[in-house]
Amino acid sequence: MAFDVLRRRLMLASLALLALPAAAQTGYPTRPVKIIVSLPPGSGADSTARFIAQQLAGKFRQPFVVENRPGANGFIGARAVAEAAPDGYTLFVGSNSSMVTNAALFRSLPYDPVKDFVPVERIARFAMVVVVPASSPFKTLGGLVEAIRNAPGKLNYASGSAGYQVYTELFHERFHLKGNPISYKGTAPAMTDVAAANVDYAIGEISSVLPLIRAGRIRPLAVTDSQRQKDLPQVPTVAESGAPGFDVTAWTGVFAPARVPEPIVKALSDAVRTAMQGPDSVKFISGLGGTVYPGGPQALREFQLAEIARTREIVKTAGIPVE
């Protein structure tokens, strides 16, 4: 009889443990968690990272602190995460630049975007916008295209990262153009120079360009997504403007160092996905011009691998030198 009671109690205890969230079973987290972003403040990755940090802090009752480590095409921030202890206390809000484009553009990286990271959760996707200074004579994408075509390699474009250079070169390839890239440490400083008319044009993530568009400092000519954006309903797509099928978006996702225990990854993934599906999150991301885009660790990994393959094809087709 006593044995039956003991067995029943052990069974109930086991069921109770299984019912706990994965993180609760590991005691994670017991101290502050660092979220590294390889882009500067003001970028879409930074904005979404700070929002996610607030959501996770509320969920886990521990601080989640965002740390910006921009520069070197995202190498600095990504490498810091790749080399961090695999304990769940260092996370990465990566973007298409650091987790996809670098794999296509560089033969040798100080980190491996696939092997050195475990995917946690997708966050959001963002259209991009072809913009010029407000003082620019170009009123339409057609006008800009004609000017670039008439002066090959003479017009300068701002490149906030390796990813933006790839997408701008794809734009050039579709219209048979040649521009001159000027590199910046992130979209925000690139767009600041566009607004100051220090460069002729750029492609920037919608969350970074909307404030400058609304302030009348830059002019949007076309969006890179397959459909017009609700915040820029009068601005045509690149596809509408002479490049059928053109469809390019930026995205952000949460990653952790490889070998982080699966229960911690699952707890973080569940927390991020639940948070991003809430109405406040949908409203926040929409306010940045983006769309919530969760799906789980496996969906993020499959998406990342597909994007790497696609970007390598873009690099090859556009004839972009691989360093």
Side-chain angles (χ1 to χ4, degrees), residues 11-322:
M11 185 179 297
L12 291 173
S14 298
L15 290 173
L17 180 60
L18 290 173
L20 287 173
Q25 297 178 36
T26 64
Y28 170 89
T30 59
R31 54 186 171 86
V33 178
K34 181 189 301 180
I35 300 178
I36 291 179
V37 181
S38 61
L39 294 170
S43 64
D46 175 74
S47 298
T48 54
R50 293 180 186 281
F51 183 81
I52 285 293
Q54 293 176 350
Q55 303 299 308
L56 293 179
K59 169 69 175 180
F60 292 110
R61 307 299 180 188
Q62 285 288 346
F64 281 69
V65 183
V66 175
E67 182 177 309
N68 297 91
R69 296 198 188 182
N73 289 311
F75 292 4
I76 296 171
R79 183 176 183 178
V81 179
E83 295 178 347
D87 54 12
Y89 288 92
T90 302
L91 304 176
F92 187 47
V93 168
S95 66
N96 42 294
S97 291
S98 55
M99 302 307 285
V100 167
T101 309
N102 285 349
L105 277 181
F106 298 96
R107 291 189 178 89
S108 179
L109 290 174
Y111 68 97
D112 188 308
V114 178
K115 294 180 180 179
D116 289 342
F117 297 85
V118 58
V120 175
E121 185 59 74
R122 295 187 304 200
I123 302 175
R125 63 193 297 269
F126 300 88
M128 291 181 277
V129 188
V130 183
V131 296
V132 295
S135 59
S136 172
F138 310 125
K139 308 296 184 182
T140 66
L141 188 66
L144 174 64
V145 166
E146 183 179 3
I148 300 172
R149 185 174 290 142
N150 290 337
K154 300 298 184 182
L155 272 68
N156 297 325
Y157 72 86
S159 172
S161 69
Y164 288 109
Q165 183 175 357
V166 167
Y167 297 133
T168 306
E169 291 300 336
L170 175 62
F171 161 71
H172 288 161
E173 189 271 334
R174 292 300 303 273
F175 285 99
H176 309 290
L177 309 174
K178 181 175 177 56
N180 181 45
I182 307 295
S183 298
Y184 295 82
K185 293 181 179 180
T187 310
M191 291 305 114
T192 297
D193 250 20
V194 175
N198 291 328
V199 290
D200 298 298
Y201 63 103
I203 290 179
E205 181 189 301
I206 192 168
S207 63
S208 297
V209 302
L210 272 178
L212 292 170
I213 292 172
R214 290 166 175 162
R217 298 180 62 193
I218 61 177
R219 179 184 304 130
L221 300 184
V223 296
T224 66
D225 203 348
S226 59
Q227 56 188 5
R228 295 193 184 199
Q229 301 298 295
K230 65 177 183 60
D231 294 298
L232 300 169
Q234 303 307 314
V235 179
T237 66
V238 174
E240 289 178 277
S241 304
F246 194 94
D247 182 8
V248 172
T249 57
W251 58 269
T252 55
V254 181
F255 295 82
R259 299 179 301 283
V260 167
E262 193 278 335
I264 292 177
V265 173
K266 184 178 187 308
L268 286 166
S269 178
D270 290 346
V272 173
R273 184 166 59 258
T274 299
M276 294 314 299
Q277 290 173 335
D280 291 344
S281 299
V282 172
K283 181 179 180 181
F284 175 79
I285 295 299
S286 178
L288 294 175
T291 304
V292 171
Y293 195 44
Q298 185 61 31
L300 175 52
R301 176 62 86 213
E302 291 173 358
F303 174 74
Q304 180 192 17
L305 292 173
E307 285 292 285
I308 289 174
R310 178 192 185 208
T311 304
R312 283 175 172 155
E313 187 61 31
I314 291 172
V315 169
K316 180 180 178 181
T317 301
I320 302 172
V322 176

